[in-house]
Amino acid sequence: MTGTPPTQRVQQLAAELRRLENERDTLLEVARALVTTSEIDQMLPTILEHLITILEPADSGSLLLYDQESGELFYVAAVGLDFEPLKLLRLRPAEGMAGECFISNRSSLYRTAEDVNRAMSNVQPEKRELCRRAMRGLEQPQSAVCAPLIVGDETLGVLSLYNLRKPGSFEANDLTFVEALANLIALAIHTAELTSRQEGLRALEEANRFKSEVIASLAHDMRTPLASIKGYSTALLMEGANFDPQSQREFLEIIDDECDHLTSIIHEMLESSLIEGGQLQLDLQPVILPRLVNAMVEEFKHRSRQHHILVDFPWRFPIVDADPYRIQQVLRNLLDNAIKYSAEGTLITIRGIAHPEEVEISVADQGIGISPEDLNRLFEKFFRVNLASGKYVPGTGLGLPIARAIVEMHGGRIWAESQVGQGTTLYFTLPRTGLSRGLAVEG
Ligand code: ADP
């Protein structure tokens, strides 16, 4: 710069300083956006947005990533352009400005409209049309810069910045800066990918741990009845053992009960997988719920005489369209739980209420209750409360999730209310829709 008058020199230096300050601010802004946004899908458009507002020569921009499987570049974000057509656009490496930059692995400047036109000349006509739509009718950008997104020895994609209207907007000295930005973005994408891979691994580990716990707990549940079946049958078969007929009968009854218990565990596991596979079918028919409840309670009274079970339905109760077998299954599970988790001699109330649009059935016990945190997880598969008493109560943690699936398939809801030490009430509703709507049964 010899020969430049001092005032002009000062002006040049001031302009250069402003440019550097602007670049520094842009970098800071972009870095801030990178650290404050963790979701990559949100992060990329936010960064581009920042770039366009701060970086003077650019009025629009886009980010493309390379898809290893298809071997093409696809758009993940764009600003100042219509993103919809770009979602359909995929570029081969070497195709267009971004493709050229990707294949050369170097940042490139397309200073004039001619430079841009030359680089875009190998873009297929239907893709050119998508570009035109993205630029809202404009033929091509008038000036552009592209920089590869490089991490280590891998090129993840391309950052492109454009000026759609003014040729010569970008200069050679913009390249270093755009490269720095591209490096920052590449690093952020790489970090986000690593984080999501790590999260995936963590979720997988958690799922595996959970699976092992479930298998251990099911094995425990199955081993207990098996041990008693084995014990009593061995005793009965023992040579020389001479049990009186009453003891023999008792042993056989225990074996019979434990076989039922095993069957129910296996049944619940099968049911759960049926539901998961979407294979559970309902056979809807008019159901008289008070009658169904009474029949089930009679059956329970034979099995457990230790609880008082009260059935409370109004005299006139609507008939609902439901699958009687499945609703019985829900009720059986709720009653089973009420018995399992409450002391002998306490009261269990099964109540029916008719609302205009639905019926509500509840099973209330006076048992151990459930804490608010556990109440939130009650319908999760395999969830079981750790009992404070440490007492082992058999169960799979599948009963309530199955009940929920059945009720929801009927268009109803299921929920629980509880107070520790006071008791628990489980509610479910069934809609009064279908052919039986308006019908009711008395008595
Ligand atoms: P389980 O086979 O373990 O009974 P469920 O899915 O039917 O499985 O119930 C899940 C868990 O919810 C139970 O293990 C128990 O901890 C808790 N629970 C369910 N019903 C009651 C109740 N009436 N009172 C107290 N706890 C209950």
Side-chain angles (χ1 to χ4, degrees), residues 413-432:
R413 295 167 291 126
I414 186 165
W415 70 100
E417 287 171 7
S418 187
Q419 283 215 318
V420 174
Q422 307 271 310
T424 302
T425 305
L426 271 116
Y427 301 85
F428 72 91
T429 61
L430 292 173
R432 292 175 64 179

Side-chain angles (χ1 to χ4, degrees), residues 105-116:
N105 220 14
R106 273 188 291 124
S107 55
S108 21
L109 166 71
Y110 305 93
R111 217 179 76 75
T112 63
E114 291 71 47
D115 295 340
V116 175

Side-chain angles (χ1 to χ4, degrees), residues 266-317:
I266 293 166
H267 186 237
E268 280 199 344
M269 287 163 69
L270 287 176
E271 288 276 309
S272 177
S273 63
L274 267 187
I275 290 172
E276 208 136 276
Q279 287 166 311
L280 195 80
Q281 301 264 321
L282 294 183
D283 178 14
L284 295 184
Q285 45 188 282
V287 173
I288 301 171
L289 281 166
R291 215 173 278 173
L292 190 126
V293 169
N294 277 315
M296 191 193 61
V297 169
E298 279 313 306
E299 174 200 320
F300 265 79
K301 276 185 181 158
H302 288 299
R303 278 168 42 191
S304 151
R305 287 178 217 285
Q306 290 93 344
H307 286 83
H308 304 289
I309 305 177
L310 176 77
V311 178
D312 178 20
F313 275 74
W315 183 68
R316 196 180 147 78
F317 200 76

Side-chain angles (χ1 to χ4, degrees), residues 340-359:
K340 276 199 295 194
Y341 303 105
S342 67
E344 291 177 2
T346 54
L347 180 69
I348 296 171
T349 310
I350 308 179
R351 182 163 288 134
I353 300 176
H355 298 296
E357 295 301 326
E358 60 188 13
V359 296

Side-chain angles (χ1 to χ4, degrees), residues 333 337 340-341 365 370 378 383-385 395-397 399-401 424:
N333 176 262
N337 282 346
K340 276 199 295 194
Y341 303 105
D365 64 50
I370 303 166
L378 213 58
F383 175 74
R384 305 200 66 205
V385 175
T396 56
L400 287 178
T424 302

Side-chain angles (χ1 to χ4, degrees), residues 368-399:
I368 55 173
I370 303 166
S371 69
E373 311 86 78
D374 290 333
L375 210 53
N376 283 332
R377 306 191 53 197
L378 213 58
F379 297 94
E380 282 175 25
K381 254 173 82 178
F382 298 114
F383 175 74
R384 305 200 66 205
V385 175
N386 282 325
L387 299 184
S389 63
K391 193 175 142 209
Y392 178 70
V393 179
T396 56
L398 286 172

